[in-house]
Amino acid sequence: MGLTAVAVATVLAVRIVSLAPSLTEDLFAIGAGPAVVGVDAYSDRPDAARKLPRVGSLRTINSEAIAELDPDLVVGIAYQAPNLHDLSRLGVHTRIFAADTLADDFATIAALGELTGHAHAAARLLATIRRRLAVQSRATRALRAPSALVVLGVAPIYTAGSGSYIDDLLAIAHVGNVARGVHAAYPALSAETVEAADPDVLVVPRGTVIPAEPPWSGLRAVRDHRIVAIDEDDLLRPGPRVADVVDALVRALAPYRRSGASGKANTAPSDSRRTAIGM
């Protein structure tokens, strides 16, 4: 028993470089923050992460700076796979995580707990998040569901479709994502598609400017000033604050549930989605 315990302990990561903001937040949230020795340029939460060496971004990494930190684990997301594979060839232990859906986020938190010796803390965090999301889902399910278009780009038009983290959040908040039928996580839409959808509400990252021209000028949401702005990091970044983000969505959309929302879309999470996120 003792030999087995020692063997397990020796493989736990104690010097970690995180190359994605969501992973940095996850690590600190499960109590593994002291093991993080370097981060990407955008890891700004929690405050302690701001003080750590910056060794890359989502697109590029500084292999030399990473090597100087002598990490026993470098973590990143699937988008960064080429860079992480390059590090692996240099003998650095790396781990790539999917970051497309809420289920991916939960799996990542659990895996980071195992890798760092904080499995129990990760399990407690996940249980808390799942409880909060279940409460939010039940509370919004009885309300009228406004249809919404998430605007991630205006020219060209990009949105969040089926299989995206953002679509999962909208489903829990009982919001009808007009792009849910598009089987791509972050598809481009034509102006004609947006005009035909004519959503009740636009959900945008804070700071987004909606052009005063077609197709935007013809939408009810624009004419009636039904534009909900959410902090960009909150909207786009998976992590341990997901229940807080759903709270923000629910509060921001509350006025539009009572005043003219169509309620045509079935936004309750599917059985498979509920199983995946433990609801």
Side-chain angles (χ1 to χ4, degrees):
M1 289 287 285
L3 288 175
T4 302
V6 170
V8 171
T10 58
V11 301
L12 296 178
V14 296
R15 293 186 62 81
I16 305 168
V17 169
S18 170
L19 296 176
S22 58
L23 301 181
T24 302
E25 285 197 52
D26 288 340
L27 286 162
F28 276 87
I30 64 174
V36 180
V37 296
V39 295
D40 66 285
Y42 302 104
S43 284
D44 54 1
R45 295 177 178 173
D47 288 341
R50 298 173 183 266
K51 304 171 185 177
L52 294 170
R54 308 279 154 164
V55 295
S57 66
L58 287 176
R59 292 182 174 85
T60 62
I61 61 172
N62 186 332
S63 299
E64 187 173 310
I66 291 173
E68 289 177 357
L69 293 173
D70 192 27
D72 50 23
L73 178 64
V74 177
V75 295
I77 58 175
Y79 180 84
Q80 301 167 307
N83 288 333
L84 289 168
H85 289 323
D86 288 342
L87 284 176
S88 294
R89 283 193 285 269
L90 296 174
V92 178
H93 181 208
T94 63
R95 182 73 180 267
I96 300 170
F97 294 95
D100 294 328
T101 66
L102 185 55
D104 290 338
D105 185 35
F106 287 176
T108 294
I109 291 172
L112 289 173
E114 295 289 344
L115 287 166
T116 61
H118 293 81
H120 292 304
R124 288 195 298 271
L125 174 63
L126 288 171
T128 298
I129 294 172
R130 286 188 170 108
R131 280 196 299 271
R132 289 185 62 189
L133 293 181
V135 169
Q136 291 162 334
S137 179
R138 287 194 296 270
T140 57
R141 208 179 307 158
L143 302 175
R144 179 177 291 179
S147 62
L149 173 70
V150 178
V151 182
L152 301 179
V154 296
I157 302 168
Y158 281 98
T159 189
S162 177
S164 69
Y165 169 76
I166 295 174
D167 185 48
D168 286 340
L169 302 190
L170 293 178
I172 293 168
H174 197 58
V175 176
N177 181 6
V178 298
R180 187 162 295 151
V182 181
H183 297 292
Y186 296 101
L189 298 181
S190 67
E192 293 77 15
T193 298
V194 171
E195 286 176 329
D198 196 17
D200 295 319
V201 184
L202 300 184
V203 177
V204 304
R206 187 165 285 115
T208 298
V209 176
I210 300 298
E213 58 190 39
W216 309 104
S217 57
L219 300 181
R220 289 175 298 133
V222 174
R223 292 198 307 268
D224 297 340
H225 308 289
R226 296 170 175 265
I227 301 175
V228 170
I230 302 293
D231 180 85
E232 183 174 14
D233 286 342
D234 288 346
L235 188 61
L236 298 177
R237 185 187 298 182
R241 296 177 297 105
V242 57
D244 294 334
V245 179
V246 173
D247 272 342
L249 270 173
V250 169
R251 288 196 302 271
L253 290 164
Y256 311 125
R257 297 184 191 276
R258 296 192 295 267
S259 55
S262 66
K264 290 183 286 188
N266 175 14
T267 62
S270 65
D271 290 342
S272 60
R273 180 179 276 164
R274 288 180 185 280
T275 300
I277 63 178
M279 291 172 54

